[in-house]
Structures are given as structure tokens and as C-alpha cells.
Amino acid sequence: MFNKRWLLLGLGIGIFSMLMFFAFQGIDVSRVAQAEMKPIIIGDDNDFTGPSSAAAPQQVAAMELAIHEFNGQVAGRPVKIIHEDSACDETQSVDKAKKLVERDGASILVGPLHEPSTIAVHAYLQNSGIPHLAMIMPEAMHNKKNSNLFCIHGTNGFDGYIMGKYAAEVLHYKTATVIHDDMVDGEQFTQGAMDAFVAAGGKIIQRQRTPINTMDYAPYLSNMKKADVVFFWLIPPNAMNFINHYADYGLKMPLMMAGIECLGDPMLNQLKDKVVGMYATVTNYQDVEGPGVKKWLNEWKALYGADKKLSMPGFVEPCNYYVEALVALEALKATNGDTSPNKLNDAIRALKLETPWGKMSFNDRGIAIGNSYVTKVVNDGGHYKLQVLKAYEQLPKVEPAEVANKAPKM
Amino acid sequence: MFSFIMNLLNGLSFGMVLFMLAMGMSITFGVMGILNLAHGSLFMIGGFTLLSIVLAGGNFWWALLIGGLCAGAVGIIVERLFLTKLYKRMDDQVLLTIGIVYVVENITLWIYGGTAKIVPIPETLQASVTVGDYGFPSYRLALIAIGGLSFLFLWWLIEKTKLGSIVRAGMDDKETTLTLGLNYTRICIIVFALGAFLAGFAGGLGGPVLGLLPFMSMNVLLYAIAVIIVGGPGSVLGTLIGALAIGIIDNFGRIYLPGFAMFTVYLVFILMLLVKPTGLMGRKGT
Amino acid sequence: MISKRMLFPGSSPSSLQGNRWRYLIALLVIGALLVVMPGFLPSYLLDLLTKVLILSVFAVSLNIIWDAGLTSLGHATYFGWGAYVSAILIARLGIGNFWVILGTAIVSVTVLSAIFGIIALRVSGVYFMMVTMALSQLVYFTSIALVSITGGINGIYGISLPNLGFIQLASNKTLFYFLVLFISAVCFFLMHKLHYSTFGYAMRGIRSDETKMKTLGYNTWLMKYVGFIVSAVFAAVAGVLFSYFLGLVCPPQVDIKTATMAILMLIVGGSSIFFGPVLGAILFVLLEYFASIYLPTRWPLVLGLVFIFSVMFLRGGIAVYFIELWKDRIRRNESDSM
């Protein structure tokens, strides 16, 4: 006798088995497929939902642009990228990394944007040893020689270091007040700036740590002491609010952000005049002028110009993702399609890459050696963008040992 | 001296935003006993609606009203479609609102993207007023003024009008209200709509101060709950006192107790819950 | 004294006995399947199963106080506490022995929930929800603030699989699965005994009518308090296992979002049946896994809609449907045999 309940049960079992089928299906395919026809997989543990997800579509597009440049194949084998969502959550990142490595057979993993997730995923990748192209280099993870970790961005402290160096050596500022999110990233970025500043003879007169969920920066602004410059680092939503309130409260000290990584084109153009004059350090970004960048942007427009949402990279992360994909593809080319982890790791370490932003290579600790730029926000006829003031060329992107931790603990 | 005044003014302006945010939740909670966890989402809806209108060239003040109305509309829909079906299932009503938080958050993310948004301040209020060494934005002064006016209006509405007396009757003694033949369902709709409208209005008003982000609803909600517990649900004056208190405590806490800034508000909240759950000026019987 | 007979007035002794046998057999079959699973499943599916087991313990532990009518929005506090305690012991104090860690977690969470219980149980209903939420937030902020102990917003990472004293599980995920299976089986056994004991029935009595229970002579406050602590202990056990599973702990594990996850598993699965939340956990893990593959950006939306749907339409949860089906079959069998 068929009643509603049995129907529902049957439906439930049906859906369940279908899902299980999909789950198992993936394994069979990879076991049965011939090695030559099987595409090389690059895994991308990206952030589609969650707070760092602003540039996700552009990040994916940037990686696919690199694949497009290689015509979707390397050393005679097809290559593709599988993108997964890590949701800025450690649990999810590791789950997805597992899926990419174990089920999809990824040979290289491009890591999440979120620092704790990167650490978690990296710990997981120690089993397989496949190259981990991290987007962020947590302090706790570098200093290992010849490991499988590579980061084109370098350490957080490095961005700050460049900023502090510029402030003291070029602009001759003598005193600074610091404000940052009360989290490890914030500490590291600003520590870099503080170290460089103090090493060049400057003095830090104040350091304010703000809770991450701060929405109103008024108390901190009213409490800010007068100095030659303000060093700050905040996650994107907070940075927006901070700069907005800073301008509203009429404070006049120059703002220096250690790394524009968390502010992008759409955000600069929302803040408009309030953000003009702010300094920032960047590595790869669309506003860095040069023939290589121009060519790259034209490629971007040719491929994505039609899509309104993807009219330009807009943030630093997509540019970085492009370079990461380039690293992966060039390494695969160098090993001639050999995906064994050791060969790939060695190949990446030996790379001498030509990116739109100049030459790039890695040191033996997986940190990139490349160009960094100090820039300033300017109003270019109604469009707000960065203008390069000074280029620091071919530096390993880590704070030099003699400068590290020079600043007093505040 | 001036820094003290600045901190006080900062606390007051933040507190006023909290007042309007919490007021909506206060009457909903007071009358219907529902803890509407989606209240932060309504706040967000108001703020984002205002943003869209202003960016499209609309007038800020009209945008405020429309933002409030949008939030009010969503509130009525939620109330009619879902909450009435769960009449008397208090726990389920709360759980439902949690689901709504997830839905609204993701839809907002879908429409507006994940970057934070800056709400442009109307032209007339873009200057700042000098207080000693510092400058205090006139928008925030306007906020304090608007907050004060809203308080007077709401106080008049709840304490002095017939509508208000019906609402208060619903808060104090539901059974008697029913036996007096008053349409309780209609009261619920009005109360919920008013609460949602206030949330949306506060969202628009608070936009320039708090920024707009699809993930802000929980953050904002927790402040609202703290305010209504400290001030007492259902009481307009209580909510004002609670909001200003929380705003000022939060501000001074951030400067003078930097490591413990986040705790101060919660400790006050828990203490109040233990000592006098009906809050400073709460009505008995809720 | 409430007897089981009084609570199930419609059932005859024989059907109750018959039911019990069927119940036991079903459990044994499922248990056997779980034991042999590692032979069939690829490792990432085994991981999902491990996660299901851990989250089931978490969800069923919430049911202990949920049954008494206490809607806690802060259950993740104890779950996260268990996870943090194990991480801190391993990473900061270098203690490796799993049993020591488990013991410390249990003892410390008993103390914590004893303190929090006194605070939370001073109020009831909606206020209870708010207090549990606020307490959860306090622990959340503490975990972010005490950077040197808890690793701040980034948490503590690099937790390798447990050292059982006589075996070092190292990188053997299958052995870890068996450990989780064993521990969760023990937990379920204990919670099951509690659920069907006098204490358990009394807790459910408190939910339906606390005043009546009081007039019958029960110290309802004490019962709620004990239930509160016991549920916290089991949540912490799940938390300890979870920290090993993930290899790291972070503040979101004590956050309200994790608590709502448990609540979702509870209401979707069904809080009136003991194993209901387990079904909820299975559904939740599967849903999360597949939704984030096929609909990555819209996963939270799906979650919210499932929440709304279950609250509106699944009164009693999915488990209730199965039980009704089961009862249908039995009733038909009985009417056949009459």
C-alpha cells in the first residue's frame, strides 16, 4: 500500500543514492583514464563566500587567463584548474584541499587567501608533498629550506618594511603613530613598517590595536597622537571605514598602508577624494605602469572585456593569482609534464620568470624575489588610482634579518 | 578635557544609532516576546537600500524613509508568512529568524558583492565642527539630533497616543487585551512593521558611521540585544538610556581598556540579566 | 515515580519487547557496517564519515538539555572549549597522551559549565537563549584576546593525530576513524542510557510541564543543572575529537554560527528521537559537502532555506517520519497476526 510516507522515504533514498553515485564517480574516472589523456590538474582553494570573497570572480578569471595563454595545455598534455570554495574557513579549506588532492588528483595547489586556512592546508599537504603556491606567507611557515611552500607575495612584514623604509629614508619622517587590527596579520604588517622606520632613525609614539569587529573608528581617531605619519593595516571593510572616518574627522597626517592587498580599485573609487594622498605598497597591480602590464591588461580586456563584472582585475589578488598560475604552468613546462612532487618543487625553485611586473624567482625558502613598489593614491581625471613613486627592485620579499624586530615592543 | 568631550560625543553618536536600532527590537520583543535574531538583517536591508538609492542619485533623506519602508515590508512578509504559523512556538520563531539571517546575508552578498561599502553623507552635512584640537563631523551631530527627535516622537507615540496605549496593553497583559476585543493580530502586524521600519531607518542613518557589509548583521544584533536588556524591553526611555550607556561604555572601554574592549559590553549585559532581567526601566510582565 | 508504561500508554508490553529486539538488531547492523566501512570507502569519504560521527555526538549532546526545554544558543562554547583545551595542551604544554587530554577536557569543561550553568539557569525561555549567546560570545572574545595561549584569531594549528599511549596514530587516518568510532559509540551508549533512564524521562517531563514535576517532588533546578553540565561534557568530548580531525582550532568553533549548526542538525533530524540528531548530522555534512561543490557561493543561502523549511514543516524532524513508517509496519504486522 503506497502512502505518502513510503513515497517520501523512497524519494529520500533515491536522492541519497544519486549523491553517493556522484561521490564515487569521481574515483572511477581517475582510475580508468589513461595517463596520457588525463589532464594535469592545478587545484585552486579559493574564497568564494565569506569576508575575503570580494575579488573571487576576478581571481578565477586571472588564473584562467594564464591557462588561455598556454592554450590549455603544457608539454603536450591538457591542463586545467579546478576551483573550490574555502569560505575563509579552516575546516572548509582543508576539506576542499583533500578533495582537490585525493579525488581530483591535483599536482599543485594554489592556497587560500586566509592565513589560518593557509596554515591548515599546508599542514595537510605535508603528506603528499605537492607544491603549495600560497597566497600569503605566515610567519610560522617560512624559514624552512627547500620545502614545498612558495609564496610570490612574501611575508607580511616585508610590505610594511618597504613602507617604513620609504617613510624614513625618502620622506624623512621622524615620528609615527600606528593603528591596526588586533590580529596576527595586523601585527606583522605594522611590525615591518615599525622596524624599518626605527632602523632608519624614526620613533614610534603610539600603537593602537583595534578589535576586528570594530565598525566605528571614532574613539581611536580621537585618541590618536600627533605624528608625522600614520602607519596602518586593517582588513578591507575596516580599512574602508577607517579611511572614511579619518577624513570625516578632519585628521591631516599622511596615511600609509603597508600593502594595498586589501584595498582595490572599486574601493578606491568609492572613497574618492577621502583616500587621495594615501600611500601603499604593492607588488603586482594593474596600476603599475609598464609595457608588460599594458600588454597584460589588453589581453584581459580582449578575453573578459564584454563581462561587466570582469572589466578589469581591480584588486591585487587577481594579479597575484595570475602570477601563481604562471608559476605553476612554467614549472610544468620545465619538468616537461612530469608531475612528481619533488621534480615540480625543484623546477619551481629554479624558475626565472618574466611576469608583466618584471622578473621573478624564488629563494631557497620559497619566498619570491621580485619588484615592489611604493605608490600613492591620485585622482586621474575622476578615476582614483595608484601612482608609483618608487620601485624597490629584485628584493627577496622578507624583512632583512638586521632590521627584523628592531622596533620596541609596544 | 577636549578629548573627554570628544569621547563623550563619539559615544553619544554611536549610542543614538544603537537606540534607533534597538527600539525596533524592543517593541517587538516587548509585545510579542519574540527574539528576532533577524533584526540585524533588517538594519542591513535599510542601509543597503539607502546606498542604492543615494548612489543612483536620490535624495538622502527620502532614501532613509524608503530604506525603512523596505525593511518594514520585509518584516511584514516574514511576520505574515512565517511567524504567525509558529504562533506560540517561541523557540521555533527564534530559530526561523536565524535561517532568515543566513538567507538575507547571502542574498545581499549576491547582489552587492563582498566589499564593504561607503555611504555618502549628504552635502549639507559634510563639514566638521572644531572641538579644541579635533574636528567632529557635523553628520554625527545631526545623528545625535535626529536620535533625540526620534526619541521624543516614539515616546509620544507609545506613551501618549491611543495606538501606543494598545501596544503597551499588549505588552503588559496580553489576555486582557484579547478579552477587551482588541485585534491582537493587527497589533502584532503593526508592531512588527514599526519595529522593522525603525531597524531599516537606523540602518540607513548608521551607514556613514558603521559602514555596510553583508556580514554585519550578527555584530549589530548583539549590540541591539545588549541595549534592550540593559534598558528594559518595551520602554522607550529605557532603550534610550541603555543605548547611550552602551555607546559610551563601548567608546571609553576601547580607549582605556584596549585589551578588554569587547568584554565591557558583554559583562554589563550579563550582569544586568542576572540582577534585573527586565532591565533598568523594563515593564513587568514581559 | 514515572514508569515507562505511563509514558507510552498506547503500547502493549509485547510490542515494546518486540520493538526493543528490532531496535537492538538495527543498531548492531549499523554498528557492523560502520566497522567495515574503511574497507570500501576512499579516504575523503571516510573523513566525511568521521566528521559525521563527531558532529552527531555534538548534536545529540545538545539534545540532552533541549529535551528539558532549554534552548541554548551557546552550545558551541563547550564544543570549542574541548577543542581548545586539547590544542593548548598539545601545542603549548607539549602533552601528547590522548587520554590525559580527554580527561583534562572533561574535568575543565565540567567546571566551566558548572559556573556558566549557575549564571544561565537563573533565567528561562528567551532570556536563557540570550544569556547562553552572551556567554558564548565571552568565550569567543577570550579566545581571540589571549593570543599567547590560544593563538588569537588564527588559532592553533598543526595538531597531529592522537597518541594513545600504546599506539601513536601518526598519519593513519583509518586508525583515527576507529578511535572516533569507539569514543562516539561509548558516548552514544552513555547518552542513550541517560535518555531512557528516570532522569531522562524526568527531563522530558520538565519540558512539558515544569510545575507539575515540581509538585511531584522533583528538584527541577538541580536536574536542569546536572543536564546542563552533562551535555557540556559530551560536547567537549566531540570538540576534542574535532580538533584532532581538523588539525587545528580557531575562534569560529566557539562562535554562534557553530552553535546554530548543531541546532540545525537537531531540528532537521528530530529532537524527540534519540538518534534523530544523527540523521541531522549526516544530512548536514552531505548537504554542506555537495552544496559547496555545486553551488559554492550560494551554500549559506541553501543552509538558511533548509533551516526555514525544517522549522516550518518538519515538526519533529525527519527521524519522526522514519519512526512513523516503522510503527506503521509494526501495526500492520500486529493487525495481521491478530
Side-chain angles (χ1 to χ4, degrees), chain A residues 23 59 103 128 182 278 300 316 400 409:
Chain A
Q59 285 159 201
R103 183 181 149 185
S128 47
D182 195 1
M278 184 184 85
W300 180 284
V316 174
K409 291 281 170 242

Side-chain angles (χ1 to χ4, degrees), chain B residues 127-198:
Chain B
S128 65
V129 170
T130 7
V131 177
D133 266 344
Y134 311 90
F136 190 71
S138 16
Y139 181 76
R140 290 185 187 233
L141 283 173
L143 246 184
I144 298 177
I146 294 176
L149 285 170
S150 311
F151 163 70
L152 289 169
F153 173 71
L154 286 165
W155 185 81
W156 171 80
L157 186 72
I158 303 278
E159 300 288 335
K160 297 290 179 197
T161 60
K162 183 161 175 234
L163 173 69
S165 60
I166 297 175
V167 171
R168 271 181 293 128
M171 283 195 256
D172 291 339
D173 195 335
K174 196 196 288 188
E175 265 105 50
T176 315
T177 320
L178 287 168
T179 56
L180 282 174
L182 290 166
N183 191 338
Y184 188 69
T185 327
R186 182 122 34 102
I187 299 177
C188 281
I189 301 180
I190 294 176
V191 163
F192 212 84
L194 182 62
F197 174 82
L198 284 169

Side-chain angles (χ1 to χ4, degrees), chain A residues 276-314:
Chain A
V276 167
M278 184 184 85
Y279 296 87
T281 50
V282 291
T283 49
N284 309 316
Y285 188 54
Q286 66 193 40
D287 287 342
V288 174
E289 317 233 303
V293 181
K294 201 161 173 182
K295 179 163 166 276
W296 185 72
L297 283 175
N298 284 336
E299 262 183 57
W300 180 284
K301 282 208 183 62
L303 199 56
Y304 300 119
D307 185 341
K308 206 168 143 240
K309 274 202 176 148
L310 291 177
S311 55
M312 55 160 119

